[in-house]
Amino acid sequence: MTRPDHLTEPRWVRGLLLALALGFLALFLLVPLAAVFAEAFKKGWELYLAAITEPDAWSAIQLTLWVAAISLPLNLVFGVAAAWAIAKFQFRGKQFLITLIDLPFSVSPVVAGLVFVLLFGAQGWLGPWLMEHDLKIVYAVPGVVLATLFVTFPFIARELIPLMQAQGSEEEQAALTLGASGWQIFWRVTLPNIKWGLLYGAILCNARAMGEFGAVSVVSGHVRGLTNTMTLHVEILYNEYQFSAAFAVASLLALLALVTLLVKNLIEWRSARPEPASAPMEAMAAPVPVRPATA
Amino acid sequence: MNTPSAAAAGATAPAGRQRNRPGVLPGFGISMGYTVLYLSLLVLIPLAALPIKSAGLGWDGFWDTVTAPRVVASYRLTFGAALVAALVNLVFGMLVAWVLVRYRFPGKKVLDALVDLPFALPTAVAGIALTALYAKNGWLGGPLEQWLGLKVAFTPLGIVVALIFIGIPFVVRTVQPVLEDIEREIEEAAASLGASRWQTIRRVLLPSVLPALLTGFALAFARAVGEYGSVVFIAGNRPMVSEITPLLIISKLEQYDYAGAAAIATVMLVLSFALLLVINLLQGWQARRGGRHA
């Protein structure tokens, strides 16, 4: 849509603004992204492949996948439960509850990791009890999972709450009067309505779970081959001046980020379009709002 | 079964319960119970450990810990760098949002999608990439030092660069939808009343995006204050000069000074609460503004 002259800026101003904006994005987004891949392939393909297939890197990749595979479903169930309670019912303190759910977004990742050390570490409240029972949480895999759960906690709930609030509960109430049970309502009416929002939240949650660094760094103890996630492996390689290897593993994470952005945009594009007539319920679903994940 | 009295009783009973029940749909108890339980176990109880652990220091010990010169220097650096980065993002975020909404150019969709890169890219990856770029032998660090005598990596300036990267999406993504929603008629009206283009932008458009702009600024600032991953690599981490507060917490922890770490973390937690409150107020303002325009 082109605008008439009196509703837009002079040509040279437009050119200047465009150049400034593109320059800024190129300098701060494109160049760093390009640098990751350039550094990764600096010493050639063989070194790249060796860096991402060596045993420590491989175990870091596996741990990262496991951590995401555990935290994603847990936060998914929580997100749906929280959105159901908040969007479909009226109760006092609702806004306060939403603010509490937002909390992990505004807490520094380092603080998030620290609280689990204070609870489960050797000097922590549950430390002695855990030691007696030969259980290890901090500086072990369960701590990594807990810290990841904490930082990715709000993603899905924050995506679903506004979506389900905007949709209201008329459809569910109609299903109820037609004799549907609670689970039937959820599976047949609510879930089809929120599936894109759910997927959107899950994608962002997954990206953060696989990419978390600060919180995980505090609780992991950096045991190679055991408690190192991919980001921690990158840190160790980098600090050992194995730059090419560090960037090789980092390039996998950058690829993950690009795939995340691609899927996210596909979902936005898909959910903003009206559905075919065969799925009238979906057509009523509000488009997934475009907004920062940490809003 | 179907006697009128039974039907009447059946009709009044749910109506009577209605007043106390939050809604007619099933599942309130279980979803609410699960939400509160999960929230408490994973977030609230762990966070409560911070003030309780730091209380072990006593008030004087707590105060001495959180106002030690090295700690105060780290606050100054953390908040100062976050403020500068958020201001840069305020200006350029507005500019990027404007360009993405108003102008047409090739590659716009791809660039629009890439704005979210800092959300999707792990912070550690951003950190090492920026460090490699701005180091003495990097693509940008070399020329900057040679031509301008400017050192970026391993100085506070590097921290600002990392925090700018982290904060890019916030202002863009809060301003963009508001800018899209502004109706063309409003600008038509301003122009037909004799306003110049600049006057229209300053007096009509800017006031309508102001709440969103400030919300984005506050979000970028809040995120930058707690940021760790992208900063540690590029900062150089020298005490009193380029050591951010989250790093100080980690170094306390490495010295097994749990209470000290908890004390500093408590200060950061209180400040994040305050920022969260400000952001909520700003978003309320924005919602009211949006309501007026709708």
Side-chain angles (χ1 to χ4, degrees):
Chain A
M1 169 183 76
T2 44
R3 290 171 159 258
D5 281 345
H6 68 282
L7 289 186
T8 188
E9 295 72 49
R11 207 186 161 80
W12 67 270
V13 176
R14 274 182 287 170
L16 183 72
L17 294 182
L18 199 57
L20 276 173
L22 295 186
F24 175 76
L25 290 182
L27 186 65
F28 280 94
L29 288 181
L30 299 180
V31 174
L33 186 64
V36 174
F37 293 98
E39 294 282 339
F41 289 109
K42 214 175 188 173
K43 304 234 169 97
W45 268 101
E46 285 92 36
L47 215 128
Y48 181 86
L49 285 177
I52 59 175
T53 50
E54 57 122 353
D56 284 346
W58 182 233
S59 77
I61 293 171
Q62 278 177 310
L63 179 61
T64 296
L65 293 175
W66 269 114
V67 169
I70 298 169
S71 22
L72 192 58
L74 285 175
N75 281 337
L76 200 72
V77 172
F78 161 73
V80 171
W84 181 267
I86 287 170
K88 303 289 180 194
F89 300 95
Q90 294 307 320
F91 56 91
R92 289 173 70 179
K94 187 185 272 194
Q95 202 50 48
F96 183 63
L97 184 63
I98 295 178
T99 307
L100 286 181
I101 291 175
D102 268 345
L103 244 187
F105 274 151
S106 57
V107 173
S108 173
V110 169
V111 176
L114 172 69
V115 296
F116 293 107
V117 176
L118 293 181
L119 280 181
F120 301 114
Q123 290 187 26
W125 289 342
L126 297 174
W129 185 87
L130 288 169
M131 208 121 58
E132 247 170 59
H133 293 77
D134 208 22
L135 292 169
K136 223 169 166 220
I137 292 185
V138 167
Y139 309 128
V141 175
V144 174
V145 173
L146 275 175
T148 307
L149 274 175
F150 183 102
V151 293
T152 58
F153 174 84
F155 278 92
I156 295 167
R158 269 324 249 151
E159 211 50 62
L160 289 183
I161 291 167
L163 180 66
M164 282 167 72
Q165 277 179 330
Q167 285 172 354
S169 52
E170 282 83 7
E171 288 179 35
E172 281 83 0
Q173 284 169 11
L176 190 70
T177 54
L178 292 172
S181 73
W183 281 115
Q184 280 176 323
I185 295 175
F186 176 74
W187 288 109
R188 305 262 181 92
V189 179
T190 308
L191 197 61
N193 273 343
I194 62 169
K195 65 179 179 193
W196 294 115
L198 198 64
L199 193 60
Y200 191 93
I203 285 288
L204 296 178
C205 180
N206 178 63
R208 182 72 194 265
M210 289 191 174
E212 178 51 30
F213 174 70
V216 169
S217 156
V218 176
V219 294
S220 107
H222 298 83
V223 185
R224 273 199 178 196
L226 282 179
T227 65
N228 253 3
T229 60
M230 283 170 83
T231 52
L232 297 178
H233 190 61
V234 168
E235 183 198 17
I236 288 186
L237 290 172
Y238 189 85
N239 288 340
E240 288 175 349
Y241 301 103
Q242 301 189 44
F243 294 134
S244 290
F247 276 103
V249 180
S251 75
L252 294 180
L253 290 165
L255 270 182
L256 167 78
L258 289 177
V259 170
T260 301
L261 290 185
L262 185 71
V263 174
K264 175 178 162 297
N265 277 278
L266 284 177
I267 296 170
E268 277 165 15
W269 175 74
R270 182 82 169 71
S271 64
R273 277 154 43 103
E275 295 284 327
S278 60
M281 290 292 199
E282 287 168 31
M284 295 170 74
V288 176
V290 183
R291 53 168 194 77
T294 35
Chain B
M1 281 297 274
N2 277 332
T3 56
S5 63
T12 50
R17 258 186 297 156
Q18 198 75 49
R19 245 176 284 134
N20 301 326
R21 277 184 54 179
V24 289
L25 294 172
F28 177 71
I30 186 166
S31 62
M32 189 68 190
Y34 182 71
T35 300
V36 171
L37 180 75
Y38 192 77
L39 178 74
S40 307
L41 286 179
L42 195 60
V43 178
L44 300 182
I45 294 173
L47 282 180
L50 288 177
I52 294 172
K53 186 79 192 177
S54 48
L57 289 167
W59 176 248
D60 289 339
F62 177 83
W63 188 251
D64 287 346
T65 307
V66 301
T67 56
R70 189 172 162 188
V71 183
V72 172
S74 85
Y75 298 144
R76 205 175 287 148
L77 175 68
T78 305
F79 285 88
L83 188 69
V84 174
L87 283 172
V88 171
N89 276 322
L90 179 82
V91 174
F92 281 92
M94 176 72 211
L95 188 64
V96 169
W98 179 266
V99 164
L100 285 176
V101 172
R102 292 298 175 100
Y103 301 157
R104 289 166 57 169
F105 55 93
K108 179 166 152 171
K109 276 205 168 142
V110 176
L111 216 53
D112 195 352
L114 272 179
V115 165
D116 284 326
L117 182 72
F119 284 152
L121 193 70
T123 52
V125 176
I128 62 168
L130 291 170
T131 311
L133 274 179
Y134 288 96
K136 212 176 271 175
N137 53 358
W139 293 350
L140 299 172
L144 278 175
E145 195 169 342
Q146 225 172 355
W147 297 336
L148 302 173
L150 211 59
K151 270 191 192 157
V152 178
F154 316 120
T155 68
L157 196 58
I159 300 176
V160 174
V161 168
L163 296 180
I164 291 175
F165 174 85
I166 289 302
I168 290 172
F170 291 98
V171 176
V172 180
R173 293 304 189 222
T174 46
V175 171
Q176 210 175 4
V178 178
L179 219 46
E180 272 164 2
D181 280 350
I182 292 177
E183 280 158 37
R184 190 181 170 141
E185 283 75 15
I186 296 173
E187 286 171 69
E188 272 305 351
S192 72
L193 290 171
S196 71
R197 187 62 193 157
W198 173 239
Q199 280 174 323
T200 309
I201 290 175
R202 207 164 48 105
R203 300 269 179 84
V204 179
L205 296 181
L206 218 50
S208 2
V209 297
L210 190 65
L213 203 58
L214 290 179
T215 305
F217 170 78
L219 286 169
F221 180 70
R223 171 71 202 266
V225 165
E227 179 56 22
Y228 172 73
S230 60
V231 174
V232 278
F233 295 99
I234 204 168
N237 307 327
R238 274 179 299 145
M240 305 298 291
V241 178
S242 57
E243 187 179 50
I244 55 167
T245 312
L247 184 73
L248 205 55
I249 294 175
I250 288 190
S251 65
K252 291 257 179 214
L253 204 55
E254 278 167 357
Q255 294 156 16
Y256 302 104
D257 181 4
Y258 284 40
I264 300 173
T266 306
V267 171
M268 286 204 77
L269 191 67
V270 169
L271 291 170
S272 339
F273 265 130
L275 277 171
L276 197 63
L277 198 70
V278 171
I279 291 167
N280 273 347
L281 289 175
L282 282 171
Q283 275 170 339
W285 182 29
Q286 188 186 340
R288 284 196 303 279
R289 271 291 171 93
R292 214 175 59 192
H293 280 298

